[in-house]
């Protein structure tokens, strides 16, 4: 979708000159044509209303680049000089410590003569089947380090509302289905249940994080290819979900069926791929209450967001754990129906607003805001 397609909904085009062609009219950008009839504040309000799931309402404004009161600037400057370095160093140390633990476990795993001279795919398979003390060490250390990282990020307390009713005798779920608000979501889920999740293939090659992601048994997605190894991504996810459902020792999959992040007040349409396995799922709802800066990663750059997050002394997270959702026979045969019913349940229980826009609209919104902010 191009930005020019939004002209008719946001603005009244200025009167054409005699020399202006129809093509020239169509090629005018959204922000140039809007500036003739809208004040900047009105334009942003219109964009925020149209793309409400991605609009920021905190003290730092659109994309974290809005006008900030002097008092807030002073607080951020002080935190940048004191709190930020301490948190950054602590975070790196925690990450490095967990890397060493993972390295120790994998070294002893592949020092076995039966596991030598294996390729990358075989290594991932061995890591997925990791058992005994190695698996216990990786999981328990991972949960502890993830919680420590949350503490470093300012999430000192986590308010959890457990509505599961302790379904201990029921068959195990195959996946965790969560709304997606921030990269912090992954840290919380790691600290809580240490699931596997889908990641870009490039993550596996990153220093420190690459080995950790392999110990998490991530499924890697190749952006330029629609397949993961010999299977499609949805096929690999389906197999893993079914495996977790049938074997309680297998890690559950963490799935964000919205496919992108929101500001936490909305729930986007669910992709049905997460529900193809016909297995029960655990719906979990995350919220991030805030006073100054919202931890939601909705419409700003990653570095700016991380900087402001680390400069906020206290951050808050609220969790609602819903009972395991067991699909009916009709839902098993219709993954889209299954996905829609879980989505409606989460929206009702979490007091979230259902929205029908998706990632393509988010890109349009970001481009429009970037254009406006670059012209200020």
């Amino acid at each position: 979708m191009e930005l020019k397609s939004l002209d008719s909904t946001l603005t009244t085009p200025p009167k054409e000159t005699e020399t202006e062609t129809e093509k020239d009219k169509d090629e005018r950008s959204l922000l140039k044509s809007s500036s003739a009839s809208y004040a900047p504040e009105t334009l942003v309000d219109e964009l925020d209303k149209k793309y409400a799931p991605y609009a920021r309402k905190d003290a730092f404004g659109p994309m974290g680049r809005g006008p900030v009161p002097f008092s807030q600037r002073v607080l951020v400057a002080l935190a940048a000089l004191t709190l930020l370095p301490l948190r950054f160093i602590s975070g790196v140390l925690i990450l490095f410590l967990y890397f060493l633990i993972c390295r120790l476990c994998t070294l002893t795993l592949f020092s076995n003569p039966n596991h030598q001279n294996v390729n990358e795919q075989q290594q991932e398979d061995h890591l997925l089947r990791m058992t005994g003390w190695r698996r216990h060490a990786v999981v328990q250390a991972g949960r502890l380090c993830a919680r420590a990282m949350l503490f470093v990020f300012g999430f000192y307390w986590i308010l959890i509302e457990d509505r599961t009713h302790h379904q201990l005798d029921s068959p195990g779920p195959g996946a965790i289905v969560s709304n997606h608000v921030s990269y912090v979501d992954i840290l919380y889920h790691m600290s809580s249940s240490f699931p596997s999740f889908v990641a870009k293939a490039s993550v596996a090659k990153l220093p420190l994080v690459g080995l950790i992601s392999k110990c998490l048994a991530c499924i890697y997605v190749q952006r330029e290819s629609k397949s993961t190894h010999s299977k499609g991504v949805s096929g690999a996810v389906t197999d893993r979900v079914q495996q977790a459902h049938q074997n309680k020792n297998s890690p559950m999959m963490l799935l964000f069926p919205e496919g992108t992040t929101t500001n936490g007040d909305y729930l986007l349409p669910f992709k049905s791929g997460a529900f193809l396995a016909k297995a029960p799922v655990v719906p979990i709802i995350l919220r991030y209450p805030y006073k100054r800066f919202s931890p939601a990663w909705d419409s700003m750059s990653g570095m700016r967001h991380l900087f402001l997050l680390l400069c906020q002394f206290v951050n808050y997270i609220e969790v609602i754990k819903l009972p395991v959702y067991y699909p009916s026979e009709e839902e098993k045969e219709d993954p889209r129906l299954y996905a829609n019913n879980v989505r409606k349940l989460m929206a009702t229980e979490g007091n979230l607003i259902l929205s029908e826009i998706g990632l393509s609209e988010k890109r349009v919104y970001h481009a429009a805001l970037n254009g406006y902010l670059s012209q200020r």
Side-chain angles (χ1 to χ4, degrees):
M1 181 181 294
E2 297 181 3
L3 292 180
K4 62 186 179 185
S5 65
L6 297 176
D7 287 352
S8 60
T9 62
L10 293 181
T11 68
T12 301
K15 185 177 179 180
E16 295 180 64
T17 64
E18 294 181 357
T19 58
E20 184 180 31
T21 65
E22 194 66 28
K23 181 179 179 181
D24 293 333
K25 175 184 174 182
D26 290 338
E27 289 180 348
R28 286 198 304 263
S29 70
L30 166 70
L31 297 172
K32 282 187 177 181
S33 61
S34 296
S35 62
S37 54
Y38 276 90
E41 296 79 7
T42 305
L43 171 62
V44 173
D45 289 343
E46 288 292 323
L47 288 170
D48 287 350
K49 186 181 300 183
K50 187 176 180 66
Y51 303 104
Y54 312 120
R56 295 190 69 85
K57 300 298 182 182
D58 62 9
F60 293 87
M63 306 191 83
R65 293 156 61 184
V68 180
F70 178 75
S71 59
Q72 297 291 348
R73 295 183 183 183
V74 172
L75 289 175
V76 171
L78 290 176
L81 293 174
T82 57
L83 194 59
L84 178 63
L86 179 63
R87 284 180 165 175
F88 179 79
I89 294 173
S90 299
V92 171
L93 290 176
I94 292 171
L95 181 66
F96 187 69
L97 173 63
Y98 187 50
F99 167 79
L100 291 179
I101 294 173
C102 291
R103 188 62 176 167
L104 174 64
C105 294
T106 54
L107 276 177
T108 56
L109 176 65
F110 293 112
S111 63
N112 188 324
N114 296 325
H115 293 164
Q116 291 180 351
N117 301 320
V118 296
N119 59 33
E120 186 174 341
Q121 174 57 38
Q122 291 173 321
Q123 287 184 13
E124 292 177 15
D125 292 340
H126 286 316
L127 290 171
L128 180 59
R129 294 192 296 268
M130 187 188 304
T131 58
W133 69 268
R134 297 185 185 89
R135 177 66 184 170
H136 182 77
V138 166
V139 171
Q140 295 305 318
R143 294 181 63 179
L144 181 62
C145 288
R147 184 62 188 93
M149 190 72 79
L150 285 171
F151 189 89
V152 166
F153 279 22
F155 295 93
Y156 307 124
W157 305 277
I158 299 178
L159 180 62
I160 300 177
E161 184 178 349
D162 191 345
R163 304 179 187 174
T164 59
H165 309 305
H166 305 288
Q167 300 168 305
L168 299 179
D169 298 329
S170 304
I176 296 169
V177 174
S178 174
N179 63 322
H180 202 8
V181 185
S182 174
Y183 47 81
V184 180
D185 300 350
I186 295 175
L187 285 176
Y188 165 72
H189 287 295
M190 282 184 63
S191 70
S192 175
S193 54
F194 204 78
S196 302
F197 53 91
V198 177
K200 293 188 297 183
S202 58
V203 171
K205 303 183 184 302
L206 293 175
L208 304 182
V209 177
L211 178 61
I212 292 174
S213 69
K214 291 179 181 179
C215 288
L216 279 162
C218 289
I219 294 177
Y220 298 108
V221 178
Q222 194 73 35
R223 284 298 180 108
E224 59 272 17
S225 173
K226 293 186 177 181
S227 64
T228 300
H229 305 304
S230 60
K231 299 180 180 179
V233 176
S234 61
V237 170
T238 298
D239 288 349
R240 192 74 68 79
V241 171
Q242 290 175 339
Q243 183 178 348
H245 173 51
Q246 297 166 2
N247 182 2
K248 65 179 182 179
N249 293 321
S250 296
M252 284 193 295
M253 285 296 300
L254 169 61
L255 302 174
F256 298 112
E258 294 171 284
T260 189
T261 55
T262 69
N263 58 20
D265 294 329
Y266 291 78
L267 204 59
L268 305 180
F270 280 7
K271 300 181 184 301
S272 59
F275 303 88
L276 293 173
K278 305 179 182 180
V281 298
V282 181
I284 293 182
I285 303 164
L286 303 180
R287 281 187 173 278
Y288 295 86
Y290 63 90
K291 294 181 180 179
R292 294 190 303 114
F293 174 74
S294 169
W297 188 28
D298 37 36
S299 59
M300 61 192 305
S301 69
M303 290 302 297
R304 182 184 296 272
H305 188 278
L306 182 61
F307 171 80
L308 292 174
L309 183 72
L310 294 179
C311 287
Q312 184 158 261
F313 182 71
V314 181
N315 291 297
Y316 303 92
I317 182 172
E318 296 177 354
V319 182
I320 300 177
K321 293 183 177 181
L322 300 181
V324 177
Y325 190 102
Y326 293 91
S328 64
E329 291 302 320
E330 185 179 5
E331 288 171 327
K332 289 179 180 179
E333 298 305 318
D334 187 351
R336 189 171 298 279
L337 175 65
Y338 187 5
N340 288 337
N341 287 345
V342 173
R343 177 177 178 241
K344 291 176 182 177
L345 174 67
M346 292 176 64
T348 301
E349 296 292 331
N351 195 27
L352 302 174
I353 304 170
L354 293 175
S355 173
E356 300 307 317
I357 67 175
L359 181 58
S360 60
E361 288 84 359
K362 185 177 187 178
R363 288 169 175 162
V364 172
Y365 176 62
H366 285 190
L369 284 181
N370 269 319
Y372 158 68
L373 293 172
S374 65
Q375 291 181 14
R376 289 197 312 177

